Amino acid sequence: MKSPIPDYLKIVLENARAIESGSPASYIETLAKADPSKLAVALATVDGNIYSAGDDRVEFSIQSISKAFVYAIAIEDIGLQGVLEKIGVEPSGDAFNQLSLERGSNRPVNPMINAGAITAHSLVTGATAEERTERILKGLSKLAGRQLHVDEEVYEAELKSADRNMAIGYMLKAAGIISCDPQDVVRGYIRQCAINVTVRDLAIMAATLSNAGVHPKTGERVIPQASVRQVLSVMTTCGMYDAAGDWVSNVGIPAKSGVAGGIIGALPGQVGIATFSPNLDERGNSVRGVAICEKLSRDMGLHMMDVSQIAGATVWTSVATIVAGTHEPHHPNCERDVIIFSLRGAVRFPGSERLSRALVRELGEPDPEDPGSGKYIDACAVVISLRDVYSLSAIAQRMLHENIKRLIADKRSVVIIDPSEVLQMKSADGKPGDALPHIVKTENEARDYIGGAGSSTVLIKDDW
Ligand code: DON
């Protein structure tokens, strides 16, 4: 059997071919000569599977898409605070090569327009301009999972028409934003833009952002998680320049475009996508690329603002009565109720809040205004099942720890079913102690602990 995904991607590409508007970037000779019929798309999952179609092995220069990753490298090298002192995070609504600085702070408004990107390039560690560029080439190669190269022809061609970027470099030097030679920095920035990639490279680079900075293929952390959040934020608000509003409402995926015709989209926790088609619109974004991304987002439900998961579904409550086993027929818990709270999926704040509310409602004092509350105040044990929990966010973990501590402080017997060890609860000194719950791997172990060996349960609700 063949996967339907490559077939679907081929159909998407064929439909996009009908769009004939736009033209390749004209200000760089080599790009102006690009073959406008070239068309490719790739989609990479956060576990490293890549699907692609069309001219997926054709190389083109990364151009402005590099800005997102170089921003991450600058943050790694001098820290977020240092970068924020030099580059703002406000969408400009201007063209990518606008000669502009933020009123008051004199910083470039964001790292996605040229002024901010040239500054970010200058902040990358390197004793010389060559070292800086080498570090960037190495960083991007690591993200792509193969050694990338600078397209010397594209580099030389852009250098010939670099007056505007040189002007930006001198503006930055005059404003005290960069301290090194503006010409060196702009040349390095142009080399960074001339690094060749394919859509498959870009998709896996984007998927690394989607995967919180861990490379989907190697499992290596390539970008710190906090930097990923920063990069995705500016991609969302500024990645598509003056088309950012249209893009966010129609596609809804943090993205970055380049004048060679590439676009990347990185949907947190899901997929990285990349498209290539050289014809650009008046804002410098690939016309067919934008259409393909819109279609993928619509068809595959990739818009980040789609409210597709309602938090309420992550917790459910059931009650079981313990029936003593033959080994311990007079166990003190025999004929008593156990209340079970089961969490499911990737639990974040809303799921942990639901659990907290359910614990209070079922186990607290009855509330006259809430009929049915306090029904299990006398339950002999509280079981929290994390069997179907895929992950617990940091806040969900803290909330759960705090709820468990409070249950134990109320002298309740608390049993946690945690086969995947997601709870990670330790006492203050890291040793087992009274303040910790009893943790087991299976329902049977939980039942034997509560009701004695060989006991069984009669379920009032659910199938525990
Ligand atoms: O700075 C420039 O002119 C180019 N090397 C990069 C610009 C770019 O890719 C703009 N994005 N759409």
Side-chain angles (χ1 to χ4, degrees), residues 27-28 62-65 67 96-97 114 158 165 189-190 193 241 256-260 283-285:
Y27 74 104
I28 303 173
I62 191 167
Q63 297 295 339
S64 286
I65 299 169
K67 293 170 180 176
F96 68 87
N97 55 3
N114 288 9
E158 181 160 2
N165 279 334
Y189 160 77
I190 291 174
C193 289
Y241 309 116
K256 187 70 210 84
S257 62
V259 281
R283 287 140 150 181
N285 299 324

